[in-house]
Each structure stands twice: as structure tokens, then as C-alpha cells.
Amino acid sequence: MNAHRNGPKSFSDSDAGIDITDDFERFSQRNDIFSRAFWDERIRSAKTDGFFASYRMEAAPRRGDGFTQRDFALRNASWLSSDILSERGAADGKREGFQAPIAYDTPVAAEQMEIGDPQRMSKEIKRIAEFFGADLCAVTELDDRWHYETRVDTRDMSAAPNHLPSGITHVIVLGHEMDAELVATYPSALAGAATGREYSHEAAIVMQLAAYIRNLGYEAVASMNDTALVIPYALKAGLGEYARNQMVITPEFGPRLRFSKIFTSLPLHSDQPKKLGVAEFCNICTKCADACPVKALPFGPPDVSTQTSSIKGVRKWTSNAEKCFGFWAKMASDCAICLRVCPFNRDFSKWRHKLWLKLALSPWRKFALTLDRHRGARIKPSTWWARTK
Ligand code: SF4
Ligand code: SF4
């Protein structure tokens, strides 16, 4: 049995719907599709270079509704705070929040506040996370299987050590809701503003929450896409369940959110993974796979993947990242059609959607799927702009 096969003991992988095989290998970040777009000639092209340039308004193609200058202008402005953060360590090859953890802006206080009851501390952290603007917050234990074997030095895209300070025991996972009206306009550069805004939000939120914990005298490393895969941590922390579109479906926002995390030595109480019934629903639904313009999502049951850009030895639904990113590059913007069309992409604060959720997560799931058949249509970006007038 592979030495990496077993994680921390409090909750099993299967409690979180995670299926590890004997071939498990930790993932090297150099192999993610965004890193490969810089060093792998099979991925890099004028189109992928244009994709990144479009985020600097250097190559914003004007290709009709949703891809005009103002669509790119709003998307790129939404990313601004995140961009400022990720650029500040560029000279050292550390693109913070993406290819390196966010560096400490404040030290760990010399005096350590005593934590009597970790359960109470977890509740307090959730309250502070909400105060700073997080929409979801849960806690789980550190599990280095999900940490990148190596990170990427962005000066030459080489593999670099991926270490955390010693004493880290827990991970705080935060969820950030994406704007529903903008998500409805995918695919478009305008819709990318929903993604960029949450990266900018989450950058501020994780930095502030981590600073609070350091002020209490404990290690706290703020993290976005860097350092470790967040999806297994979100599943272990009980925030939702994994779906065919490779996203975590939550009972609060469906798949319409982004996740960030904080690695900490603060004594905390872990949340419990939850089995909701999403996998059973995905087994009878292929709306995301049907809607994908490049057929990058699987139609069959979960399986292990041998693709360069996916983790080895985890049986799950896995997209073809090369096809998917190829489409992003062609559009010069991110795509989330598979999020937009998902039946769980609803406003669960409304009673009718709450009722639908109950049906979808019950043996009535087929009926729930039938009820969804006319939903998920794209809103024209020009309609979104007209609403703002
Ligand atoms: S993001 Fe777009 S291209 Fe990628 S899998 Fe989803 S629908 Fe397909
Ligand atoms: S669209 Fe259907 S199959 Fe795809 S993630 Fe959503 S519920 Fe699952």
C-alpha cells in the first residue's frame, strides 16, 4: 500500500466521498495547466499568450457581445487587488496566492493567547471569517497528501520547495460566493468579473483572518490556489460534495463559489464531512458534460486519470484540462458554462429552490432533474449591461 494512502484518522476519505487508489501520487504544481501554459510547448501557443495578455488589456479581442473593451475592462478591474498581491513577490519567483503562499505581512505575536476550548475557538474563527466577508467557513485537519509535491518558481517555471512553518495542524477553508447575474452570462469576458471579484475578495479576507490568528500568537498562512489543492480540504471540512463538473456543490450556493484556505497552528475543532446525495444526482445528470463546447467533461462514472494535469490515484470525475484550457485561450477569458448550467446553481435563500434541493438530494432526484430542464440559459452580456443603466 502506498505510504500516502491514508490521511489523518478523525474522518475517513470515504466519509468525504474521496476514493484513493494504490497509485496515488502527490501533484506537482508545475503540471497544472496554467503553469504548463508557460513551459510546455504542447500547451503554449500564441493563443495562450494572448489569453494572459488580455488580463493586462494588451490583447483584448473585440469579438462582439460580452467581449468588448468594457467587458474586458470590468473583468480586469475585478482582478486588480488579487493581481497586486500576486505581483509583489514576482522578483523572487513567488506569485503569491497562485504559485506561492501569501507571505506574512505581520509577525506571529510573541505572546500566545491560551485556547481553552478548541470547539469554541472554531466558532469564533467562523464568526471572524464572516465579519471579514467570507460566505462559508469550516475547519479540517492538515493532510499533506493534498499539498503540492513542489510549487513553481515563476522566474523560470522550475520546481521549488513547498514548505509550511512547523506546527501547523489545521486548515480553515473559506467559501466566497460568485455573483449570480454575472455567472449567468458565461461564456463571456464580462462573466470573468465574477471570478476576478472573488479572487480580490478572498485575497483580502484570508490575509486579514490570518493576521488575526498571528496576532493571537499562532502560525497562520493565507492561501488561495497555491500550496495545496483546496477541493479535498473543502470536502473533508464538510462544505459540500464533489460533482461531475469538478466543483464542490454546497447546500448554500450550489457550485457558484470559490474557495480559499488558511494553514494554522491555532488549536481548532474539525468539522465533519457530509454526504448530501450530490453524487447520486450527478449519476443521472450530464447537463454540464452536454453543455461543454469542447466536450472536456466525462459522461461516465468516476475514474482514475492518467492525464498530466490531474492528480494520480484518485477515482473521481476529471475534466480534460487541455481541451478546457484550449477553449479558455480561444475566448481569451475563463469559462464556467459547466457551472452556469448546473441544476444546483440556484438561489437557495428562496423557498422554491430550497424545496427543489430537498427533492434533488432525495430518491425524487429524477423528478428534480425534470423540473430543471428549462433552466440554465445564458443571459446576454448586453442585457446585463442594460440592467445597470
Ligand atoms: S470550463 Fe467550459 S470548457 Fe472547461 S469543462 Fe467547463 S464548460 Fe467545458
Ligand atoms: S450539471 Fe448535473 S452532472 Fe453536472 S455537476 Fe451539475 S448536477 Fe452534476
Side-chain angles (χ1 to χ4, degrees):
M1 183 182 286
N2 189 301
H4 287 305
R5 185 132 186 223
N6 299 306
K9 294 286 174 249
S10 33
F11 300 108
S12 71
D13 290 334
S14 65
D15 290 334
I18 298 171
D19 186 356
I20 306 278
T21 70
D22 286 342
D23 309 327
F24 180 84
E25 275 176 34
R26 276 170 63 178
F27 188 69
S28 291
Q29 196 182 15
R30 205 167 168 269
N31 285 332
D32 81 23
I33 199 75
F34 300 104
S35 300
R36 287 174 68 202
F38 288 91
W39 66 263
D40 187 341
E41 293 311 319
R42 290 170 299 171
I43 304 299
R44 188 169 189 179
S45 66
K47 280 211 163 64
T48 61
D49 288 350
F51 168 83
F52 295 111
S54 80
Y55 282 81
R56 301 184 296 268
M57 298 304 290
E58 286 167 12
R62 316 233 163 107
R63 281 191 283 112
D65 193 9
F67 297 91
T68 64
Q69 184 165 357
R70 71 176 174 175
D71 296 303
F72 283 98
L74 183 65
R75 182 196 71 177
N76 295 359
S78 300
W79 275 91
L80 183 64
S81 306
S82 168
D83 288 344
I84 290 170
L85 168 68
S86 59
E87 286 305 314
R88 70 181 184 173
D92 297 324
K94 292 180 174 173
R95 206 166 154 259
E96 289 177 45
F98 293 89
Q99 279 103 351
I102 300 172
Y104 280 17
D105 296 286
T106 53
V108 176
E111 192 178 340
Q112 194 170 73
M113 189 180 95
E114 201 178 317
I115 309 298
D117 178 0
Q119 200 152 4
R120 207 187 151 125
M121 194 66 225
S122 282
K123 277 195 186 141
E124 182 179 308
I125 285 296
K126 288 174 191 178
R127 196 167 141 233
I128 306 296
E130 190 182 352
F131 165 72
F132 282 129
D135 296 302
L136 295 177
C137 178
V139 176
T140 186
E141 286 165 42
L142 190 78
D143 184 343
D144 66 5
R145 294 175 302 168
W146 311 123
H147 290 232
Y148 300 133
E149 185 79 52
T150 49
R151 65 168 190 88
V152 175
D153 182 325
T154 50
R155 286 170 295 192
D156 59 1
M157 303 311 282
S158 62
N162 183 33
H163 297 310
L164 287 173
S166 62
I168 304 281
T169 55
H170 285 84
V171 185
I172 301 164
V173 188
L174 305 167
H176 312 276
E177 184 192 5
M178 294 166 74
D179 183 85
E181 290 192 358
L182 281 174
V183 164
T185 70
Y186 270 113
S188 66
L190 172 67
T195 299
R197 192 187 73 168
E198 289 330 302
Y199 273 111
S200 287
H201 278 168
E202 73 183 64
I205 294 165
V206 282
M207 287 169 78
Q208 288 167 317
L209 185 56
Y212 169 69
I213 297 169
R214 290 196 298 271
N215 290 345
L216 298 180
Y218 295 87
E219 299 286 354
V221 180
S223 171
M224 291 160 55
N225 288 9
D226 56 278
T227 310
L229 301 165
V230 76
I231 285 181
Y233 274 130
L235 300 175
K236 269 287 174 67
L239 287 177
E241 202 177 320
Y242 191 73
R244 186 186 297 280
N245 60 5
Q246 293 207 123
M247 293 168 195
V248 175
I249 306 263
T250 65
E252 294 84 358
F253 308 108
R256 206 183 57 257
L257 78 170
R258 312 207 61 82
F259 293 102
S260 61
K261 54 203 180 296
I262 294 172
F263 304 100
T264 184
S265 62
L266 185 70
L268 291 171
H269 174 81
S270 291
D271 290 289
Q272 207 170 334
K274 287 184 205 103
K275 186 88 189 72
L276 302 170
V278 170
E280 286 82 354
F281 192 95
C282 288
N283 284 338
I284 59 155
C285 173
T286 53
K287 276 190 86 168
C288 51
D290 293 330
C292 175
V294 288
K295 294 290 167 267
L297 288 170
F299 285 88
D303 204 355
V304 286
S305 171
T306 53
Q307 295 176 61
T308 307
S309 289
S310 60
I311 191 165
K312 306 274 179 308
V314 183
R315 187 172 286 106
K316 64 183 186 71
W317 284 300
T318 302
S319 75
N320 182 321
E322 296 181 13
K323 281 188 186 176
C324 174
F325 185 62
F327 183 64
W328 291 31
K330 196 170 144 200
M331 280 202 306
S333 201
D334 65 319
C335 165
I337 297 171
C338 48
L339 189 167
R340 188 197 85 214
V341 302
C342 179
F344 289 97
N345 174 22
R346 290 166 182 261
D347 177 359
F348 292 117
S349 67
K350 301 213 163 78
W351 71 265
R352 65 177 195 280
H353 294 308
K354 272 191 191 136
L355 184 63
W356 181 88
L357 185 66
K358 271 194 189 311
L359 285 175
L361 300 179
S362 80
W364 288 86
R365 60 186 75 91
K366 263 199 180 153
F367 179 54
L369 183 57
T370 311
L371 291 177
D372 191 76
R373 64 187 181 279
H374 298 305
R375 290 185 69 263
R378 179 178 186 251
I379 305 287
K380 278 187 183 171
S382 53
T383 306
W384 185 89
W385 283 108
R387 275 186 203 152
T388 65
K389 280 177 191 158

